[in-house]
Amino acid sequence: MKALVVTVHPDPSSLTHAAAAAIARGVDRTGATSEIADLVKEGFDPRYRLDDRAVHHRRSAPPPDVAREQQRLESVNALVLVYPVFWWSMPAYLKGWIERVFSNGWAFEDGPGGKGLIKKLDWLPVHLLGLAGADQAVYERRGYRDAMITQAELGVFNYCGAPVRSSEILYASETSSAVLALETAERFGERVSLDLLRP
């Protein structure tokens, strides 16, 4: 059983990258395996282009870079997204990856005659870990956490049928102890692994 840990951050020495590595350690230590996909380092282009629009309208096959990402997802048993929270959401880079890879025909499609929605990713459990600069009180007072749930968990993954098995935020990540944050991330990875290995 294998988890794909997808992360985005322009700084390879960031806490986000360290958290992704800690999650991978947690997954690997408890019996499953992991692969880290550093989208920035890999050079994935997150810009939604005309060829992506043609894919959406089912006029062409996915471009090679998108097809590779879809094949990579099809080769794993769980998806873990690890990202810094920018402006109360996932970074545009990660959102662009989702917009291009979770395409019509692969992640979802209209039912026969254009009626109804066919959710195609019920086989892909998802785990989300955001690293936030603000503390939990700010998120609760402003409703940011609920907004993030609506946008990512419901608006993206539920729409495609991918079950969100866990979703957490490491609050005040810029001022809290990095050691504690990485310990939390490693335990998060252990829970991902246990979810993968459960009967």
Side-chain angles (χ1 to χ4, degrees), residues 139-140 142-152 154 169:
Y139 275 72
E140 291 176 359
R142 303 282 188 177
Y144 295 139
R145 179 69 178 124
D146 290 341
M148 290 176 68
I149 289 170
T150 298
Q151 189 256 355
L154 300 177
I169 295 178

Side-chain angles (χ1 to χ4, degrees), residues 27-38:
V27 169
D28 295 342
R29 187 175 55 251
T30 48
T33 60
S34 64
E35 173 189 345
I36 295 178
D38 177 351

Side-chain angles (χ1 to χ4, degrees), residues 105-181:
W106 184 79
F108 64 92
E109 65 182 81
D110 289 329
K115 297 185 179 178
L117 173 70
I118 299 172
K119 300 180 179 193
K120 303 185 78 171
L121 297 185
D122 58 345
W123 52 270
L124 184 64
V126 176
H127 303 266
L128 307 171
L129 183 68
L131 286 83
D135 62 29
Q136 187 171 357
V138 170
Y139 275 72
E140 291 176 359
R141 185 169 65 250
R142 303 282 188 177
Y144 295 139
R145 179 69 178 124
D146 290 341
M148 290 176 68
I149 289 170
T150 298
Q151 189 256 355
E153 296 179 37
L154 300 177
V156 175
F157 299 112
N158 181 271
Y159 189 84
C160 300
V164 176
R165 294 276 173 77
S166 60
S167 178
E168 295 184 22
I169 295 178
L170 294 180
Y171 296 103
S173 64
E174 295 176 348
T175 55
S176 299
S177 164
V179 172
L180 290 177

Side-chain angles (χ1 to χ4, degrees), residues 1-3 27 32-33 77-78 125 191-198:
M1 304 299 276
K2 184 176 181 180
V27 169
T33 60
N77 308 99
R191 291 194 303 273
V192 169
S193 181
L194 293 173
D195 182 63
L196 277 168
L197 297 171
R198 73 180 179 185

Side-chain angles (χ1 to χ4, degrees), residues 43-62:
F44 180 84
D45 186 348
R47 295 172 299 171
Y48 189 90
R49 301 176 304 240
L50 283 175
D51 54 351
D52 298 299
R53 184 153 174 79
V55 172
H56 178 75
H57 288 289
R58 311 296 293 274
R59 293 193 299 261
S60 72

Side-chain angles (χ1 to χ4, degrees), residues 7-23:
T7 190
V8 293
H9 198 292
D11 182 358
S13 65
S14 67
L15 183 60
T16 301
H17 281 286
I23 289 171

